[in-house]
Amino acid sequence: MIGTNTPIFLEIWIVSASSLLIVCECQSAACFFSSPLRVIMPTERKHREEIVHYGRMLHDRGFVAAMDGNLSVRLERDRILVTPTCVSKGAMRAPDMVIVDSDGQKVAGRRNVTSEIGMHLLIYRMRPDVQAIVHAHPPTATGFAAAGIPLTEPLVCEVVMGLGCIPLARYGTPGTSELVQTLEPYVPSYDAILMSNHGVVAYGDTLEHAYMKMETVEHFAQIALVTHLLGRQQPLKEVEIEKLLLARTKYFGAKIAAAMPFPRSPQKVS
């Protein structure tokens, strides 16, 4: 007879070739099988742990607050592993993640999927090379987004090399098709986008690279802010940008396609 201590089996994780981790909810130490189980393969387990790790890093660095932000990784067979809604990114556990199909319908997981899944699906659909996405609200970069200022001036050689421009998409209500439409023009050519009055989305071939691009955006925003406070910017010259773009192709190949605008004369920022 099933009582109050009956376990609810959620998932089986393959920990090694000889051991399994059974994820269940119960009060009793004596557990028995009472429902179908889903086996978590090693690759998916690794992605779940990575999402937990980088979610905690986002939270620790102040790139998200409360339950803000979301992360995802592309799995096989048109499946997306994504963070759930209403969970702090600093307090997630690996079993909290949700799997959705290419239409955003949940196919596995206990929790509800993030309301901003449409943004992730758009990027995966338009960029077959992208395998992971990070969305957050880093304070300085989000401040630029709220001020309506893109991060497109070639001020720092490392940013030109490693990321390129960070354009500004117009405002779209989070969790709606409106937001997706505002991002669509920028997704093919850029690896990070400021979203007006909202935050930043960055993406790459791994979750680590997507997270690093988010860090680069915020670091560059802090540098750009200093130039605004000093009242002067001195962008790299056209010939210098061309050399950096050539070096970028050498070191990164075609993975970073974002064009850089050629600079105007050094200007005083009002």
Side-chain angles (χ1 to χ4, degrees), residues 72-74 80 120 123-134 187 190-191 202-206 210 213 255:
S72 70
V73 174
R74 194 200 300 260
I80 308 298
H120 294 251
I123 295 169
Y124 287 128
R125 185 170 64 251
M126 298 188 73
R127 292 284 299 272
D129 60 306
V130 168
Q131 300 299 318
I133 299 169
V134 175
V187 170
Y190 300 95
D191 288 349
Y203 34 94
D205 58 344
T206 67
K213 289 174 184 179
K255 292 182 180 179

Side-chain angles (χ1 to χ4, degrees), residues 157 160-161 236 239-249:
C157 58
V160 174
M161 282 274 291
L236 292 163
V239 64
E240 295 165 338
I241 295 174
E242 289 176 342
K243 291 178 181 178
L244 290 172
L245 294 179
L246 182 62
R248 185 170 73 178
T249 302

Side-chain angles (χ1 to χ4, degrees), residues 168-184:
L168 175 68
R170 61 185 175 83
Y171 179 74
T173 305
T176 70
S177 60
E178 183 181 55
L179 175 63
V180 173
Q181 292 168 5
T182 67
L183 294 174
E184 190 169 1

Side-chain angles (χ1 to χ4, degrees), residues 223-257:
I223 294 170
L225 177 60
V226 171
T227 68
H228 281 262
L229 294 173
L230 292 174
R232 186 172 184 270
Q233 290 185 333
Q234 184 172 299
L236 292 163
K237 295 180 174 62
E238 182 174 340
V239 64
E240 295 165 338
I241 295 174
E242 289 176 342
K243 291 178 181 178
L244 290 172
L245 294 179
L246 182 62
R248 185 170 73 178
T249 302
K250 177 181 178 181
Y251 290 108
F252 296 101
K255 292 182 180 179
I256 302 174

